[in-house]
């Protein structure tokens, strides 16, 4: 850690795509004190790249709200059918229709505004170094070693209250779709000042204007021989759902 560095950029280099530098600059200007993920999109399988969907369900954890409670519960039940420590447990987030509904709805409701999550990565994310250092966040694959490492890292940041309620980024005024915003928070500045004693919780934001297109020639996930090997592993696991 160098005192003259303010941020850390993490990317999936195997995607082979541009970091979208204008999106990075926009992110630094809009939310300099927040963890912000790009908006990654990929072609819908079988659409011949004529339709796109959000990329990276595996690292996505929605901000809990009363409106999405039943979807979160349905997803927990869906993943609860898999066995801890297995590849299926690792894959259940990516395969869950309930996670798909959650991420697509947020991606649709916020075409241009930053929106909050517990965890998002989507191919790239910017981290203020003070957020990482002050929370002591570490990459963590969970108790059974099958959770997405980005999710563990983000939970280490978002589950901790930082500072003394004095300063945060824009996250506290991004309270969800169509929700009212307290008048004192409806300000243009990207940095909000809070009264002593107010909650200063960080969220991982998604910036739709930091847009990265996953190449149709390098689709996310295993393919070819790697896909065959994954299927063989799944069929050999104890109590595998594959017959």
């Amino acid at each position: 850690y160098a005192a003259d560095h303010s941020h850390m950029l993490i990317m999936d280099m195997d995607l082979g795509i541009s970091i979208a530098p204008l999106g990075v600059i926009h992110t630094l200007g809009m939310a300099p004190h927040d963890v912000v993920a790009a908006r990654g999109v990929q072609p819908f399988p079988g659409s011949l790249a004529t339709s796109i969907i959000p990329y990276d369900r595996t690292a996505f954890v929605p901000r809990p709200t009363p409106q999405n409670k039943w979807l979160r519960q349905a997803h927990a039940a869906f993943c609860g059918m898999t066995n801890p420590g297995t590849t299926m447990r690792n894959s259940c987030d990516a395969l869950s229709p309930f996670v798909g509904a959650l991420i697509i709805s947020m991606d649709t409701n916020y075409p241009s505004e930053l929106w909050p999550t517990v965890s998002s990565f989507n191919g790239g994310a910017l981290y203020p170094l003070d957020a990482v250092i002050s929370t002591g966040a570490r990459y963590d694959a969970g108790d059974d070693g099958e959770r997405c490492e980005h999710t563990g890292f983000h939970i280490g940041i978002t589950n901790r209250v930082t500072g003394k309620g004095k300063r945060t980024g824009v996250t506290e005024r991004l309270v969800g779709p169509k929700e009212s915003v307290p008048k004192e928070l409806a300000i243009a500045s990207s940095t909000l000042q809070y009264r002593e004693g107010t909650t200063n919780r960080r969220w991982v934001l998604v910036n739709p204007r930091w847009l990265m297109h996953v190449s149709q020639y390098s689709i996310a996930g295993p393919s070819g021989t790697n896909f065959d090997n994954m299927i063989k592993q799944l069929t050999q696991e104890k109590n595998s759902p594959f017959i």
Side-chain angles (χ1 to χ4, degrees):
Y1 169 67
D4 57 343
H5 293 165
S6 63
H7 287 73
M8 173 175 67
L9 173 65
I10 303 294
M11 289 190 62
D12 281 339
M13 300 303 293
D14 58 330
L15 295 178
I17 57 178
S18 167
I19 66 171
L22 292 180
V24 174
I25 295 172
H26 182 270
T27 296
L28 291 172
M30 287 295 295
H33 301 291
D34 291 289
V35 178
V36 183
R39 180 196 177 211
V41 295
Q42 68 180 45
F44 186 82
S47 70
L48 300 178
T50 59
S51 178
I52 62 172
I53 57 175
Y55 165 67
D56 203 4
R57 297 183 187 183
T58 303
F60 176 71
V61 178
R63 175 183 181 270
T65 67
Q67 291 80 9
N68 66 25
K69 181 178 180 180
W70 73 272
L71 280 171
R72 291 184 285 110
Q73 291 176 332
H75 172 63
F78 179 82
C79 283
M81 294 187 292
T82 64
N83 296 313
T86 64
T87 307
M88 281 304 298
R89 176 60 64 90
N90 178 274
S91 303
C92 70
D93 292 316
L95 298 175
S96 170
F98 309 108
V99 167
L102 285 163
I103 194 171
I104 289 173
S105 66
M106 296 300 291
D107 186 71
T108 302
N109 285 334
Y110 290 96
S112 59
E113 298 177 6
L114 285 77
W115 51 276
T117 70
V118 173
S119 176
S120 282
F121 187 70
N122 310 332
L126 272 169
Y127 301 87
L129 287 178
D130 64 341
V132 178
I133 295 169
S134 64
T135 59
R138 296 289 185 271
Y139 281 98
D140 175 13
D143 294 337
D144 63 354
E146 294 296 338
R147 182 175 63 187
C148 174
E149 71 279 9
H150 296 296
T151 299
F153 187 51
H154 294 154
I155 288 175
I157 294 174
T158 59
N159 269 4
R160 290 172 172 81
V161 174
T162 57
K164 297 181 179 180
K166 287 292 188 179
R167 189 183 74 177
T168 184
V170 298
T171 57
E172 289 294 337
R173 64 188 175 96
L174 298 172
V175 290
K178 313 304 182 186
E179 294 184 75
S180 61
V181 177
K183 184 177 181 180
E184 63 269 21
L185 299 186
I187 58 177
S189 173
S190 63
T191 301
L192 305 181
Q193 301 294 329
Y194 292 95
R195 292 187 297 272
E196 192 72 35
T198 57
T199 300
N200 186 17
R201 174 172 176 168
R202 292 184 184 272
W203 300 103
V204 176
L205 304 182
V206 176
N207 184 2
R209 296 186 183 276
W210 180 12
L211 178 61
M212 297 198 299
H213 286 268
V214 177
S215 172
Q216 59 184 324
Y217 302 109
S218 182
I219 300 298
S223 60
T225 304
N226 289 333
F227 181 77
D228 291 339
N229 291 335
M230 184 189 74
I231 295 299
K232 290 177 182 177
Q233 180 182 352
L234 287 172
T235 58
Q236 293 169 3
E237 289 180 347
K238 184 178 180 181
N239 299 325
S240 172
F242 290 85
I243 301 176

